Amino acid sequence: MKKAMTRMMQVASVALLISCSAGDPFSDYTNSWGDNWGNDTPSENSSGSSTTTGDLTTFTVNIDQTSAEPTDAATEYMPDEEDALENSTFTTEVAIDMASPTAKTENGVEITVNGGHITANHGSTKNICYVLSGTTSNGSFTVVGDKKYEIKLNGVNITNPDSAALNLLSGKRAYIVLADGTSNTLTDGTSGSQKGALYCKGKLLFNGSGQLSVVGNTNNAIHSADYIVFRKGNNIYAKSTANHGIKANDGVFINGGIINVEVTAAAAKGINCESNIVVNGGRTTVITTGDGTYDTDDQEAKGAAGIKADSTFTINAGELWLKSTGSGGKGINVDMDANFNGGSVYVVTEGGQFKSNNDTSSPKGIKVDGDINISGGTIWVRTSGYNGEGIETKSQLNISGGEVACYAYDDAINSKGDMTITGGYVYAQGKNNDGLDANGNIYLKGGLVYAICSGQPEVAIDANTEGGKKLYLTGGTIVAVGGLESGSSLTQSCYQSSSWSKNTWYTMTVGENTFSFRTPSSGGSGLVVSAATTPTLQSGTSVSGGSSFFGGLGIAGGTISGGSSVSLSSYTGGSSMGGGGGWPGGWH
C-alpha cells in the first residue's frame, strides 16, 4: 500500500545546529525537511543524507537538530505585556560560579552555600540578574525573593542527585536568558520530591538563543506552577524518564524557538498543560514512547500524548512534529476546543489499543473533546496501530480552509457531532474503516474532498443515517472511493464509475479546473465524483506541474497528457456498488 501510493517529493535538508559530542542530547538524531508548494513538508530520515524524500504514507518524526526556525510566525502572544523581557531592566548582575560557590551578601542579595547547593534571596531588591556558569555534579541553585528577576544561563551544568537542579521558589516572574553561543544543562537524580529538574513557582519566561538541555529523572523535566512562554531563538531540549517533558499549570505559549521533547514513562505527556496551549511559531518536536497505563485515581485507562491541553489548543503558525509509539498513544489530546488557523502539524502514532480493567485507550492522531475548527495551515496524520483513528472530535468538526490529510488504521476523520466542510483540501483514507465518518450530519458545502474507505460495509463518507442523520452535499469537489452513505441528500449531482483501477492516476476536469488523484492499492468498490458542474473523468493520465497536495496523492491544475475516458453514470448514493463522492465549489 505505502509503496503503491507513494509519490516521492524531493526536499532539501536544513543545516545542522550543532556538532555532535558524547554529552550532546541531540547527537543521536537527525531530521530534515524542505519547502514544496509553499508549505514545509516532512521527509523520511536518510542517515544524514543532504537530500531525502518523504510523503504522507512514509514520513517520520525525529528529534530536530536544525537551527533555522520556520519563517512562518504569528504575532507573539504574551498573557501580560510585562512578560516581554524588553519591557523590564535587570541591571544589577550577581555572578554565581557553580563549580566554586561562595557565600556572600552583594547588591542586596544574600547568597548562602551548603556544599554545592546555593540559595539566593534578593528579598525586595529590584532589577537582579543572576549569571550562572560552571559545573557541579552535586549541587543546585534556588531563588527566593519578592521581586521579578532574571537568570542568565552562561555555560552552566548543574546535576542534583536529590532534588531540582534549578529551583525557582519565588512566585514572581522568572526571565530565563540562554546566553548566545552557550550550552547549558540541568539534570536531577532518581530520588527526591521535586516537581521538575527545572521548577518555577511563578511565570517562566524563556529568552535568548543559547542551548538548554533539561533532564528529569524523578518527575517532569520543566515545570511551572504558573505559565510558560517560549520565544524566537530558544533552543531547548526537555527529556523525562519519569513523567512529562514540559508541564505548566496556567498556560504554554510557544512564540518561536526550536523545542525538542522526549518522554518515556507510561502515559506521559510531552507538553502538558492544565490550561491553554498556543503555538505561534518555531518548530516543536515531541516523541513519546511509553505505553498506556491504568489510572487508579480516575479509574480509567490513559495513554501518552505529544501535547495535552486540559483547556483549549490553538496553532496560528510554526510547526509541530509529534510521534507516539506506545499503546494508546496520541499526538494531540485536548479537553476543550482545538483551533488550527495556520502553521503545520505532522503526527505519527504507531502503537495499538491499550486495555486494562475493562477500559481502553485507543491511539489517535488528534483527539479533541470539544469542537475542532480548521481554517488554515497543514495537518498530516498517520496512524498504523490497531483502532488508530486519524482525527477525532467528541463534538463538531468544521473545516473552512487549509490542507488536512489523514492516512489512518481506523476512521480517518471522525466526529461525534456534525461535520461541516466549506473549504480547504481534505484527504481521508480509513485503511480498515470509513474515510469521513460522523455520528451527526455531514454538510459538504465547499472545498476539495478525497475520501477512501476500506470496502463494504464501510463507505468513503459516512453520516449517521441509523440515528436519523444525513449527508447533505450542496457544494464542493468530491472524489469518493467506496461511495456515500445511503439516504444522502445530494443537492449537487453525483456521478459514478462502477469500477476503478488500483494505483492509477485519474484526472477529473470541471470547467477549466483539473484535479488529478492517485487511487489506492485497495479500498471500497465504486468511484463517485461530484462538482459544481458536470465533470469528466480520465484514467491512466500523466501530470506535470500543478499544485501538489496530500503528499503527492493529489494535484490541482498542471498539464495533463495521455489517459482514457471513463464512463460516468448518475449516482444517488448508497447503491450496491458501495460508495460515492464530490468536489469544491471553486478553488480555495
Side-chain angles (χ1 to χ4, degrees):
M1 165 68 83
K2 291 184 179 180
K3 291 182 179 178
M5 295 190 66
T6 299
R7 177 180 172 85
M8 304 303 263
M9 302 176 294
Q10 294 296 316
V11 293
S13 66
V14 183
L16 293 180
L17 168 64
I18 49 176
S19 62
C20 298
S21 64
D24 173 16
F26 298 88
S27 62
D28 294 333
Y29 304 94
T30 59
N31 198 7
S32 305
W33 50 83
D35 190 72
N36 189 47
W37 39 270
N39 294 306
D40 288 325
T41 55
S43 65
E44 186 75 28
N45 183 266
S46 182
S47 302
S49 171
S50 61
T51 302
T52 57
T53 54
D55 74 355
L56 176 63
T57 65
T58 61
F59 79 93
T60 190
V61 175
N62 291 318
I63 290 300
D64 179 9
Q65 200 171 317
T66 64
S67 60
E69 292 187 36
T71 56
D72 173 37
T75 302
E76 276 194 318
Y77 174 74
M78 299 284 181
D80 189 294
E81 64 179 11
E82 193 177 353
D83 295 332
L85 178 62
E86 53 270 27
N87 293 334
S88 298
T89 56
F90 298 96
T91 54
T92 304
E93 290 193 352
V94 177
I96 307 292
D97 181 359
M98 297 302 302
S100 181
T102 303
K104 58 185 176 180
T105 298
E106 178 182 305
N107 297 322
V109 179
E110 182 184 7
I111 306 294
T112 59
V113 177
N114 181 10
H117 303 282
I118 304 168
T119 299
N121 185 349
H122 57 264
S124 59
T125 305
K126 299 179 180 179
N127 305 324
I128 296 299
C129 172
Y130 298 103
V131 181
L132 272 58
S133 61
T135 297
T136 177
S137 60
N138 187 6
S140 63
F141 184 67
T142 298
V143 176
V144 294
D146 301 325
K147 299 296 179 180
K148 62 185 179 182
Y149 56 99
E150 176 183 313
I151 296 181
K152 183 179 290 184
L153 302 183
N154 192 34
V156 67
N157 185 337
I158 303 174
T159 298
N160 185 357
D162 302 314
S163 189
L166 194 57
N167 199 21
L168 309 181
L169 298 181
S170 168
K172 301 301 180 180
R173 285 178 172 82
Y175 301 83
I176 306 297
V177 177
L178 311 178
D180 294 350
T182 65
S183 178
N184 307 276
T185 63
L186 303 171
T187 307
D188 67 6
T190 57
S191 63
S193 58
Q194 65 275 19
K195 294 181 179 180
L198 191 172
Y199 174 74
C200 183
K201 185 177 180 180
K203 299 168 178 60
L204 185 58
L205 313 169
F206 286 98
N207 296 268
S209 58
Q211 298 173 29
L212 173 62
S213 172
V214 185
V215 179
N217 293 302
T218 296
N219 204 327
N220 309 306
I222 299 173
H223 185 147
S224 169
D226 208 299
Y227 55 74
I228 302 176
V229 177
F230 298 99
R231 304 187 74 182
K232 184 177 181 180
N234 295 169
N235 194 306
I236 298 173
Y237 172 87
K239 179 178 181 178
S240 174
T241 60
N243 205 355
H244 312 312
I246 297 172
K247 165 75 175 177
N249 291 10
D250 295 335
V252 174
F253 308 101
I254 303 174
N255 292 310
I258 302 294
I259 314 297
N260 288 282
V261 183
E262 288 187 279
V263 293
T264 59
K269 314 302 188 282
I271 300 176
N272 182 281
C273 184
E274 296 178 12
S275 184
N276 306 316
I277 296 177
V278 178
V279 180
N280 282 326
R283 183 179 295 113
T284 301
T285 303
V286 182
I287 297 176
T288 75
T289 57
D291 286 326
T293 189
Y294 186 79
D295 188 318
T296 55
D297 293 331
D298 294 341
Q299 295 187 340
E300 63 177 332
K302 294 183 177 180
I307 289 178
K308 173 64 168 69
D310 290 357
S311 184
T312 65
F313 168 84
T314 301
I315 178 169
N316 298 309
E319 298 177 10
L320 291 178
W321 296 72
L322 311 173
K323 180 167 70 174
S324 179
T325 63
S327 59
K330 298 164 181 65
I332 298 175
N333 189 354
V334 182
D335 287 355
M336 296 178 68
D337 293 351
N339 304 296
F340 298 84
N341 302 320
S344 301
V345 178
Y346 303 110
V347 179
V348 176
T349 70
E350 298 176 351
Q353 188 180 67
F354 173 76
K355 296 182 180 181
S356 180
N357 293 296
N358 297 316
D359 196 20
T360 61
S361 176
S362 294
K364 314 279 183 183
I366 298 173
K367 175 188 176 294
V368 177
D369 289 347
D371 292 348
I372 294 178
N373 303 300
I374 303 171
S375 61
T378 300
I379 303 171
W380 284 16
V381 175
R382 186 175 74 251
T383 67
S384 56
Y386 176 72
N387 258 23
E389 290 190 319
I391 297 176
E392 179 194 74
T393 169
K394 297 299 183 182
S395 187
Q396 302 196 38
L397 173 69
N398 305 293
I399 302 175
S400 59
E403 177 188 349
V404 183
C406 291
Y407 182 71
Y409 180 96
D410 203 274
D411 290 332
I413 301 176
N414 176 276
S415 65
K416 186 174 182 179
D418 292 345
M419 181 185 299
T420 303
I421 301 177
T422 58
Y425 297 83
V426 180
Y427 175 89
Q429 180 175 4
K431 292 181 286 183
N432 293 281
N433 216 319
D434 302 317
L436 298 179
D437 179 37
N439 291 351
N441 297 307
I442 296 181
Y443 300 95
L444 298 183
K445 301 179 179 182
L448 186 150
V449 176
Y450 181 15
I452 302 167
C453 73
S454 60
Q456 293 183 355
E458 317 304 340
V459 291
I461 304 176
D462 183 12
N464 184 18
T465 54
E466 298 86 350
K469 307 296 183 179
K470 281 188 178 183
L471 163 63
Y472 295 90
L473 173 57
T474 59
T477 300
I478 315 298
V479 177
V481 175
L484 309 179
E485 177 68 20
S486 295
S488 298
S489 174
L490 306 178
T491 302
Q492 180 172 281
S493 297
C494 294
Y495 304 89
Q496 69 177 6
S497 171
S498 60
S499 63
W500 53 274
S501 299
K502 302 175 182 179
N503 306 321
T504 301
W505 278 96
Y506 282 73
T507 297
M508 179 166 58
T509 302
V510 181
E512 297 181 353
N513 295 319
T514 62
F515 174 60
S516 300
F517 56 94
R518 184 167 185 170
T519 55
S521 60
S522 63
S525 60
L527 171 64
V528 173
V529 295
S530 180
T533 60
T534 303
T536 60
L537 191 65
Q538 293 173 281
S539 67
T541 55
S542 297
V543 188
S544 60
S547 298
S548 175
F549 295 92
F550 320 136
L553 299 177
I555 300 174
T559 301
I560 311 301
S561 61
S564 56
S565 178
V566 175
S567 177
L568 296 174
S569 59
S570 179
Y571 175 76
T572 57
S575 69
S576 60
M577 64 170 277
W583 171 349
W587 302 104
H588 295 269

